Amino acid sequence: MRYRYQYTDEASKQSLILEHADKNLVEQQNIQEGDFLVFADEPISTPPQPLEQEIADLKAQLALVQTALDDLILGGGL
């Protein structure tokens, strides 16, 4: 759920932030109607990783697994 609170100056803004420290500050609105802070009680989700980065990460993990297997096979196992 999202909660929107109006503030009038820096002191009231900081007061709102402290008062709602148990929530995530997700937006600050400075619009014609006034200045507002928007808080949410749900966790902030991180944007998904680009596919290129995910592929690069998987290739790096695969290389580590291959190296470990090579060490086991060529090193005589246990």
Side-chain angles (χ1 to χ4, degrees):
M1 179 176 239
R2 293 193 175 216
Y3 308 90
R4 184 175 177 225
Y5 301 99
Q6 187 169 10
Y7 66 93
T8 55
D9 56 21
E10 190 64 29
S12 62
K13 176 182 172 183
Q14 291 303 319
S15 177
L16 283 171
I17 291 171
L18 291 173
E19 184 179 340
H20 300 284
D22 60 323
K23 297 177 184 66
N24 296 306
L25 177 61
V26 294
E27 189 176 351
Q28 178 176 340
Q29 300 174 344
N30 301 104
I31 56 178
Q32 194 170 10
E33 292 81 12
D35 298 324
F36 299 89
L37 294 177
V38 180
F39 295 90
D41 51 12
E42 68 266 4
I44 299 173
S45 62
T46 57
Q49 251 187 346
L51 284 177
E52 295 82 11
Q53 182 61 47
E54 192 169 340
I55 290 170
D57 292 346
L58 289 171
K59 284 181 178 180
Q61 290 175 9
L62 180 60
L64 289 173
V65 169
Q66 185 63 50
T67 300
L69 284 173
D70 290 346
D71 288 347
L72 281 173
I73 292 170
L74 297 175
L78 302 171

